[in-house]
Amino acid sequence: MHSGNPFTGRFVIEPKPQNVWGLTHAVWFFAMGLGGGLYLNRLLFGIDFGEALGMPAAVVLGMTLVIVSGLILVADLGRPIRAPRAFYNIRRSWISVGAVAHFTFLVLEAVLLLPYLTIAESQPFAGVFWAPGTTAALVLSWASAVPAFVIIVYPGLVLACSPSIPFWNTTLIPLQFLGSALAGGAAIAYLFGASRAPAIVVALGAVLATLGFTVAHIFNARYQRGAALTALAQVLRGALAPHFVWGNLILGLVLPSAALLLHLTGILVAASLPWTGALILLGSFLAKYAVIKAGHYAPLF
Amino acid sequence: MPRWGLVLDLQRCIGCYSCTVACRVENQTPAGVWFTPVYEKEIGTYPQVRRMFLPTLCNHCQDALCIKACPTGAISKRPDGIVLVSQDVCCGSRACIAACPYGAMHFYSDWQGDFEGHLTPFEELARDRYQPGTALKCTLCVHRIDQGILRPACVETCPTECRIFGDLDDPESAPNKLITGRKGLALRPEAGTDPSVRYVL
């Protein structure tokens, strides 16, 4: 109805979709989580898949993913040249905490990989005091676990600290991110041929935990009002249902859980593990995309 | 030091949007960026239905979530309670937009005029006022307040005097008397932001 007033209907009090974050943030969260997950899986559970350029492949790939996600984050800024300023507000901003963790992780990884560096068939840094197998290397490896953990969970904490968007405003999101990062790290190992039992047990545990957190998130939103319900309707029945229900819940969590259980019991052969890994990765990405896109601002009253 | 704030009397607001337009003119905001929108809602059930208007602006919170979310420290609170974004420091992360419970933060990507194909003389003048790729918000017309004699443009222009501006720390100020006399309410109190904008019904 044309009322003659150009403002009529423009500022209606209702849940409004957020439109500042989207696909690039989903890619950033996904890649950052995988990078941290690969590192933690190798350190905590010994999940590795050979070497790349003479270095541990899990560490090299994890570092690459973290670099890529950092570049995506910087490119997405309104003023990318001011990215170094993101280190300034570390006492209050989760993005600042993440930026510092990101930088620390990359520096520590570079230091850890230095002894492996091969130039003209020689390893000039092989004799450094933190060479593989030394106590210093062990200390550095565990020190890296802290920023690796932070880069997995901080994107979730950025979302969780948004009271204006009730669907995001829950600690279940960083927990989901942690679960899917560990599951994703193991899934990548499957894609590169790892099939040992620890990788399967870790992935199964992480996938089941993520499934539990996701279901809890759904119920948490179900018992709220307004914007959270609007977002929930969108991920369960609306435009994001193919991503969230089919892509994340069924293909990314339920199906891989069943497949991993069958692998553990020996019913499924190892050759099908890469497919399971691919499904986990697909679900992990789609979950992040759906949750970000479903965010709706709560009405003012 | 005063704590500048506003009380908005919802019984007086008639939804004329003159505050919205006055703010746009005063602050020369880009197309689509409104610092002082007036929201509307139909309340009640037929036949007892009426249209309600909710004039808004940045709440200049004492415990502002945008300040906590900003990774660069570009958002700061002055001693008089006015929360400002530094255009020279903001990196455009948009974290403040997600964090603000009042929808008061805006992202300015690039200048676009209101009319396709050309800029009006007003827009030509306004184009260089803000830096693209940064966050924008209401400044409570700090440039007017700092002169010591002027109130924010939205307050000056409101024909029904629905916006009452003053020092919230002064018990004798007009907004404070309204808050105590008519039980001034904050929007979204669950956010715990201690806003400097209150509403009376």
Side-chain angles (χ1 to χ4, degrees):
Chain A
M1 184 183 73
H2 181 63
S3 65
N5 182 341
F7 292 111
T8 299
R10 182 188 284 267
F11 303 123
V12 178
I13 297 175
E14 61 187 8
K16 288 194 165 52
Q18 68 82 22
N19 55 11
V20 289
W21 287 3
L23 181 64
T24 49
H25 294 80
V27 177
W28 156 32
F29 293 178
F30 176 67
M32 188 90 79
L34 282 186
L38 278 167
Y39 184 82
L40 286 186
N41 277 349
R42 180 173 182 270
L43 182 72
L44 300 174
F45 311 113
I47 299 172
D48 208 343
F49 41 92
E51 292 187 346
L53 308 168
M55 306 174 197
V59 180
V60 174
L61 184 58
M63 196 172 161
T64 309
L65 285 167
V66 173
I67 290 171
V68 168
S69 64
L71 292 176
I72 290 170
L73 165 61
V74 171
D76 186 64
L77 293 176
R79 311 284 286 190
I81 199 92
R82 295 179 187 164
R85 286 184 183 273
F87 295 105
Y88 282 17
N89 201 10
I90 189 168
R91 283 189 305 153
R92 291 191 284 207
S93 163
W94 278 114
I95 291 185
S96 269
V97 171
V100 171
H102 200 139
F103 181 74
T104 312
F105 180 75
L106 289 178
V107 169
L108 288 173
E109 290 313 278
V111 169
L112 275 170
L113 287 177
L114 201 60
Y116 295 98
L117 188 67
T118 307
I119 302 170
E121 295 185 6
S122 73
Q123 292 184 316
F125 302 102
V128 291
F129 70 89
W130 66 89
T134 61
T135 310
L138 194 66
V139 170
L140 273 178
S141 299
W142 281 97
S144 301
V146 177
F149 175 77
V150 174
I151 61 174
I152 289 171
V153 295
Y154 93 86
L157 288 163
V158 171
L159 298 186
C161 290
S162 303
S164 54
I165 301 174
F167 191 61
W168 294 355
N169 192 207
T170 165
T171 43
L172 289 163
I173 291 192
L175 289 172
Q176 284 174 58
F177 282 18
L178 179 62
S180 71
L182 295 178
I188 287 187
Y190 302 152
L191 291 180
F192 285 92
S195 58
R196 290 189 300 119
I200 298 173
V201 174
V202 168
L204 180 60
V207 167
L208 286 175
T210 311
L211 181 60
F213 294 137
T214 306
V215 171
H217 187 192
I218 291 170
F219 275 96
N220 181 51
R222 172 72 185 82
Y223 291 105
Q224 293 187 40
R225 289 180 299 164
L229 277 182
T230 307
L232 189 64
Q234 208 167 45
V235 295
L236 293 184
R237 298 185 298 275
L240 292 166
H243 308 75
F244 190 80
V245 177
W246 290 101
N248 174 36
L249 277 175
I250 295 174
L251 288 179
L253 294 171
V254 174
L255 216 58
S257 304
L260 289 168
L261 268 174
L262 294 177
H263 279 297
L264 269 184
T265 52
I267 296 171
L268 272 183
V269 291
S272 62
L273 267 177
W275 291 103
T276 310
L279 287 178
I280 292 172
L281 292 175
L282 176 77
S284 173
F285 173 73
L286 290 177
K288 288 169 178 66
Y289 178 75
V291 167
I292 290 172
K293 290 298 284 182
H296 275 66
Y297 293 107
L300 292 171
F301 72 88
Chain B
M1 182 60 72
R3 175 187 169 186
W4 298 121
L6 259 81
V7 171
L8 293 107
D9 188 342
L10 297 188
Q11 286 188 4
R12 290 186 178 185
C13 182
I14 55 172
C16 70
Y17 299 97
S18 45
C19 51
T20 309
V21 174
C23 169
R24 179 106 195 266
V25 171
E26 179 70 26
N27 292 291
Q28 299 176 313
T29 56
V33 175
W34 308 92
F35 288 165
T36 54
V38 178
Y39 291 93
E40 60 186 60
K41 188 175 191 176
E42 280 184 5
I43 53 174
T45 49
Y46 180 82
Q48 302 275 313
V49 183
R50 73 185 177 96
R51 201 141 150 244
M52 183 195 166
F53 296 101
L54 182 77
T56 62
L57 69 162
C58 168
N59 280 227
H60 296 275
C61 309
Q62 293 302 289
D63 194 10
L65 296 177
C66 56
I67 296 179
K68 290 180 182 168
C70 176
T72 61
I75 308 176
S76 58
K77 186 171 59 132
R78 302 200 325 175
D80 58 6
I82 298 175
V83 177
L84 297 173
V85 179
S86 168
Q87 288 272 297
D88 294 328
V89 178
C90 175
C91 72
S93 72
R94 286 160 281 183
C96 54
I97 301 174
C100 175
Y102 307 110
M105 304 296 305
H106 305 270
F107 184 69
Y108 168 41
S109 53
D110 201 2
W111 186 271
Q112 284 180 319
D114 277 312
F115 306 98
E116 237 174 77
H118 76 283
L119 297 180
T120 63
F122 175 79
E123 289 168 341
E124 290 279 7
L125 276 174
R127 187 163 52 177
D128 297 328
R129 181 159 176 168
Y130 301 105
Q131 295 183 28
T134 59
L136 306 179
K137 67 180 272 302
C138 154
T139 63
L140 210 62
C141 286
V142 70
H143 54 287
R144 295 164 66 101
I145 292 173
D146 282 350
Q147 289 184 29
I149 48 170
L150 295 169
R151 300 179 297 172
C154 58
V155 177
E156 289 287 355
T157 205
C158 179
T160 62
E161 295 193 339
C162 135
R163 292 171 176 253
I164 297 104
F165 173 76
D167 178 5
L168 298 186
D169 279 350
D170 176 5
E172 294 303 312
S173 69
N176 231 338
K177 282 182 177 169
L178 267 176
I179 290 171
T180 49
R182 289 173 56 189
K183 294 189 178 144
L185 303 169
L187 286 180
R188 303 206 60 201
E190 74 278 8
T193 55
D194 188 12
S196 297
V197 174
R198 300 292 164 113
Y199 292 80
V200 287
L201 299 167

